[in-house]
Amino acid sequence: EVVKPEEVDYVNKYDRDIAEKRLYKFVDRTIALARDYVSGPVEITGLTLFLGGDMVSGDIHEELTESNEGTMLETVVHWTGQLASAITTLADHFEKVHIAGVVGNHGRRTRKSRSKKRVRDNFDWLIYQSVSTMLKDDKRITWQIPEAADTVVKVHDTKFLLTHGDKVRGGGGVGGIWPPIKRMQFRLKANPQTAHDIMCIGHWHQLVLAPSAGLVVNGSPKGWDEYAATSGFEFHEQDTAQAFMLVTPEYGVTVSAPIFCADRASEGW
């Protein structure tokens, strides 16, 4: 998706070139956090990477079809290589990388959201499958690509539920997104297949780091866009930030921090 700065009061700009810069800023700063900020007696034995869907803006809305930088197929081809390179760089540092990937709503091929074939009829799934095939001989990297909308990932003794978050309904009241998200989480915790300690979602394009409350909402590297501006949503500098957590066998999540992906100076705008 292309975001023009003049249409969002010059608080953001986004295109394919900037998207690549933010991807590699994420990789570099993830490594820096683990290497330089979490040091001392802590031994990090690997990385779990959550891919929470909406890897593409898609063409579910007519204006996206008109303004996206490339077609969907071109986008898949381009980002398969970019994502594979980013994951290989992470594996070079962490040695072991486990990747869990669920699909979002923007990658679907239909205008309306569907329940049947939600995963296999989604461009997010195609990207995950393509990257995993490209990296199949790299024994440092393992994959978890479910056929369902949700997946549980166990890191030491902590169970994370990864789901995109578009199943949440509401969020426009005084309490914001918290009440509807927690209601959905209550239902998912009651299901033995999705019982968990911490739920990780995206979709809402804002960073909420609250692992002690059992919830992490990830930001979107795209950041502020024309839809957010015309809808009167609240602007946050952390909208592009990604969630970082250190998980230990003894205490679960002991460190959580934002990974800031946007850098106006290096992006040249």
Side-chain angles (χ1 to χ4, degrees):
E1 180 177 348
V2 174
V3 177
K4 296 183 177 180
E6 63 269 21
E7 294 186 6
V8 292
D9 293 328
Y10 294 92
V11 297
N12 190 32
K13 181 181 179 181
Y14 198 68
D15 53 32
R16 181 173 289 173
D17 180 64
I18 289 175
E20 290 179 7
K21 287 182 170 65
R22 292 182 185 178
L23 171 63
Y24 285 97
K25 188 72 70 174
F26 162 77
V27 171
D28 292 343
R29 290 183 172 174
T30 298
I31 293 172
L33 270 171
R35 181 189 60 213
D36 303 330
Y37 291 83
V38 183
S39 58
V42 176
E43 179 188 359
I44 297 178
T45 57
L47 174 74
T48 301
L49 178 65
F50 288 163
L51 302 177
D54 281 4
M55 307 300 289
V56 296
S57 292
D59 51 13
I60 61 174
H61 303 300
E62 185 177 354
E63 60 182 336
L64 290 176
T65 305
E66 297 170 353
S67 63
N68 283 344
E69 186 139 352
T71 67
M72 283 303 306
L73 294 179
E74 177 193 355
T75 297
V76 169
V77 170
H78 178 83
W79 287 104
T80 294
Q82 296 291 325
L83 189 57
S85 177
I87 291 169
T88 301
T89 303
L90 290 169
D92 289 341
H93 176 79
F94 290 98
E95 297 184 359
K96 294 180 181 179
V97 177
H98 179 67
I99 302 163
V102 295
V103 302
N105 59 308
H106 272 261
R108 68 179 186 262
R109 292 197 311 115
T110 55
R111 291 288 183 180
K112 291 185 178 181
S113 184
R114 300 172 65 180
S115 298
K116 298 288 188 180
K117 299 182 180 178
R118 170 186 168 93
V119 174
R120 292 195 175 217
D121 205 22
N122 192 295
F123 285 105
D124 293 335
W125 178 84
L126 179 59
I127 290 176
Y128 302 155
Q129 293 291 340
S130 299
V131 177
S132 64
T133 299
M134 186 178 294
L135 301 178
K136 62 182 174 60
D137 294 328
D138 194 329
K139 304 305 180 185
R140 303 171 301 174
I141 302 168
T142 54
W143 292 83
Q144 183 174 339
I145 307 172
E147 295 290 325
D150 321 304
T151 192
V152 175
V153 184
K154 190 174 181 181
V155 182
H156 297 305
D157 291 326
T158 301
K159 287 185 176 180
F160 293 89
L161 176 68
L162 177 63
T163 187
H164 180 62
D166 58 308
K167 291 188 290 187
V168 177
R169 295 292 179 264
V174 175
I177 63 174
W178 275 84
I181 287 176
K182 295 303 283 185
R183 284 195 294 269
M184 183 187 76
Q185 185 176 20
F186 178 80
R187 295 192 296 270
L188 290 170
K189 274 194 170 186
N191 185 339
Q193 300 300 320
T194 52
H196 61 278
D197 302 303
I198 300 172
M199 183 170 71
C200 296
I201 68 174
H203 185 66
W204 294 89
H205 294 217
Q206 56 183 282
L207 182 68
V208 178
L209 277 171
S212 61
L215 176 66
V216 172
V217 184
N218 208 27
S220 169
K222 179 185 69 170
W224 191 253
D225 63 9
E226 294 87 346
Y227 175 76
T230 57
S231 300
F233 294 159
E234 188 176 357
F235 173 76
H236 299 282
E237 289 289 348
Q238 291 191 352
D239 284 341
T240 61
Q242 302 292 283
F244 173 92
M245 288 176 281
L246 177 69
V247 186
T248 66
E250 300 86 358
Y251 305 109
V253 176
T254 58
V255 174
S256 60
I259 300 172
F260 295 104
C261 300
D263 187 332
R264 189 165 184 164
S266 66
E267 292 170 5
W269 60 279

